[in-house]
Amino acid sequence: MPGLSSSTLLARTALPESLNVRASGWESCVREAVAALFEQSFARPASVIVRAPGRINLIGDHTDYNDGFVLPMALNRAVWMAASGRTDRAVRVISSELGEGRFELDGLSRQGTFVDYLSGVAWAMDPVGLPGLDIAITSDLPAGAGLSSSAAIEIATLLAFSELGERGWDPVGSAKTARRAENEWVGVASGIMDQLIVAIARAGHATLIDCRSLRVKALPIPGGVEVVVLDSGTRRNLTDSGYNERRLACDRAAAVLGVEKLRDAGLGMLDDARLNPVDLRRARHVVTENDRVLAFASALELNDLVAAGSLMNLSHESLRADFSVSTAALDALVDSARSQPGCFGARLTGAGMGGCAVALVRSEAMPAFVECVRTAYRTATGLEAQLYPSEATNGAEVVSRSALS
Ligand code: GLA
């Protein structure tokens, strides 16, 4: 592949070193960076640039694959993809953060690299009739941090193929296709939450999702409060993190209880002596978490941030004690956040086992909150946390189309 190395390019486009400092004009800077990466790698301008955001889940984890409820929002951090069609059946990819790769639409196979997220989407879309593509990717979403960088790559790929293959864009259908790629190609038995929120999110809102019916309700984020992402600096990989094992435990519990999914179980049913103690705890988390999501949605609607925050705290406790997906670092981070003035509540977010937490914080308590949490976390663990408030953004979108495409 011709062109400059990605590190040269990043230096050239002068992105701010600390990604949690959002200078004004940040988005146009990233858009120019991905356009430049494309042009210098493929010696022609891109026909289309798409953006797919990461997500933070305010409450409702490990409920989606149990047909339950979740309440995520899209972040102001995203995967940016510049693409143009090719006349052959190859897909060539270069990324500033992930490296380079290539695959053929005829004869798809797994490579065990980030390229599988793209080839998996081609596979799930049915590659017959898809165009070959040249693709450049730039991202300010950390990988493995629980912010859905993989769903963002999948949805961005779907949007690029849809645009250049003239297939039309159906956000919910695309989320299902991307989930199929994740489940059956990448091999993570995830639910629909990440792909769906990345595809459909609405700026300024979190979205209550019923993962069975896929009915959604956008809920405005109240004024005067910040949604703060707290990155523990620890990472995990869902393909080997016990994620699939958790899902199996939930399916096993549902089968013992005689329900289709744990969404259909109530607390009273969990006395069943046939449930083994571990599966009982997994099921108890799911059943109580579904109730907490609905209560949190009502609290948001009533602007009752004290109630919302305490539901977040309870959610973390359930994920720690019953679902066993917290870590010492995440517990310390959540404790550090909760002990600061102005913090309504904090919890780990996403799959857990490393990655990020989320806190709801009174706006006027920032930025002291950021400094105090970083210090408390460093004292407790010796680790550095990155904290950044995030507004809720729109889901995936085409940000530019060349007149020549
Ligand atoms: C990962 C999965 C989601 C969801 C969360 C936990 O992010 O991709 O489907 O299960 O974990 O809530």
Side-chain angles (χ1 to χ4, degrees):
M1 188 177 300
L4 297 174
S5 79
S6 46
S7 53
T8 321
L9 258 176
L10 266 187
R12 211 175 239 220
T13 45
L15 300 182
E17 237 172 53
S18 161
L19 290 177
N20 56 3
V21 176
R22 287 313 159 91
S24 66
W26 166 258
E27 295 227 328
S28 55
C29 177
V30 187
R31 192 170 59 218
E32 279 164 29
V34 77
L37 176 62
F38 185 94
E39 204 156 332
Q40 293 175 36
S41 304
F42 301 112
R44 59 189 174 125
S47 305
V48 68
I49 298 179
V50 303
R51 166 194 159 276
R55 68 97 189 90
I56 190 105
N57 190 20
L58 297 180
I59 194 161
D61 275 308
H62 294 278
T63 44
D64 60 351
Y65 52 83
N66 291 296
D67 278 2
F69 300 97
V70 295
L71 218 164
M73 64 179 224
L75 289 177
N76 61 358
R77 292 177 167 246
V79 164
W80 295 74
M81 195 175 272
S84 281
R86 293 171 56 89
T87 49
D88 63 12
R89 306 276 295 147
V91 176
R92 297 191 301 172
V93 195
I94 183 162
S95 158
S96 339
E97 295 76 27
L98 302 165
E100 304 184 10
R102 175 190 178 112
F103 61 90
E104 300 291 329
L105 289 167
D106 301 318
L108 291 169
S109 65
R110 292 172 189 78
Q111 301 178 19
T113 70
F114 79 98
V115 171
D116 290 349
Y117 292 111
L118 293 98
S119 59
V121 162
W123 168 81
M125 287 180 90
D126 183 1
V128 177
L130 284 181
L133 296 183
D134 284 335
I135 295 176
I137 303 175
T138 289
S139 166
D140 57 358
L141 259 181
L147 301 178
S148 288
S149 56
S150 55
I153 292 182
E154 289 158 359
I155 293 292
T157 306
L158 256 144
L159 188 49
F161 270 127
S162 301
E163 274 287 306
L164 295 166
E166 292 170 11
R167 285 211 178 182
W169 177 241
D170 160 18
V172 175
S174 298
K176 290 181 184 167
T177 304
R179 179 198 179 180
R180 216 177 129 229
E182 180 92 33
N183 291 173
E184 295 176 37
W185 190 262
V186 177
V188 177
S190 68
I192 190 81
M193 168 171 71
D194 301 351
Q195 290 81 8
L196 192 59
I197 192 65
V198 170
I200 65 156
R202 182 162 152 207
H205 293 72
T207 304
L208 172 64
I209 302 173
D210 177 336
C211 296
R212 172 168 279 165
S213 65
L214 299 190
R215 287 185 56 191
V216 301
K217 183 172 186 189
L219 301 170
I221 305 283
V225 69
E226 302 288 337
V227 175
V228 185
V229 179
L230 306 94
D231 185 343
S232 68
T234 61
R235 296 290 179 260
R236 54 90 186 112
N237 176 351
L238 286 192
T239 47
D240 56 27
S241 63
Y243 182 91
N244 289 349
E245 200 184 291
R246 296 296 186 291
R247 182 172 180 150
L248 285 175
C250 291
D251 289 347
R252 216 165 35 228
V256 168
L257 297 174
V259 292
E260 186 191 337
K261 287 281 180 185
L262 285 178
R263 149 76 174 268
D264 306 304
L267 260 190
M269 297 167 74
L270 302 184
D271 292 336
D272 196 312
R274 293 168 304 159
L275 274 180
N276 78 51
V278 172
D279 292 358
L280 164 63
R281 288 196 287 120
R282 306 295 186 248
R284 188 166 55 202
H285 164 72
V286 174
V287 170
T288 57
E289 184 83 344
N290 278 329
D291 290 345
R292 281 186 290 269
V293 176
L294 297 177
F296 184 98
S298 306
L300 263 196
E301 286 180 312
L302 295 170
N303 212 353
D304 186 348
L305 297 172
V306 172
S310 69
L311 288 160
M312 290 172 83
N313 294 343
L314 289 170
S315 168
H316 182 85
E317 185 52 22
S318 177
L319 286 161
R320 184 191 69 74
D322 277 347
F323 219 69
S324 305
V325 288
S326 192
T327 59
L330 283 169
D331 290 343
L333 190 52
V334 161
D335 284 348
S336 306
R338 283 181 196 155
S339 52
Q340 308 308 323
C343 179
F344 292 106
R347 61 186 288 278
L348 73 82
T349 184
M353 304 177 257
C356 289
V358 57
L360 270 191
V361 183
R362 200 184 291 287
S363 299
E364 67 224 22
M366 309 280 289
F369 176 81
V370 172
E371 275 322 302
C372 295
V373 171
R374 294 192 74 205
T375 306
Y377 182 65
R378 188 183 307 121
T379 306
T381 63
L383 297 168
E384 289 298 325
Q386 298 291 320
L387 274 76
Y388 42 95
S390 182
E391 71 220 35
T393 66
N394 276 327
E397 57 200 355
V398 176
V399 293
S400 75
R401 281 184 193 93
S402 132
L404 299 175
S405 62

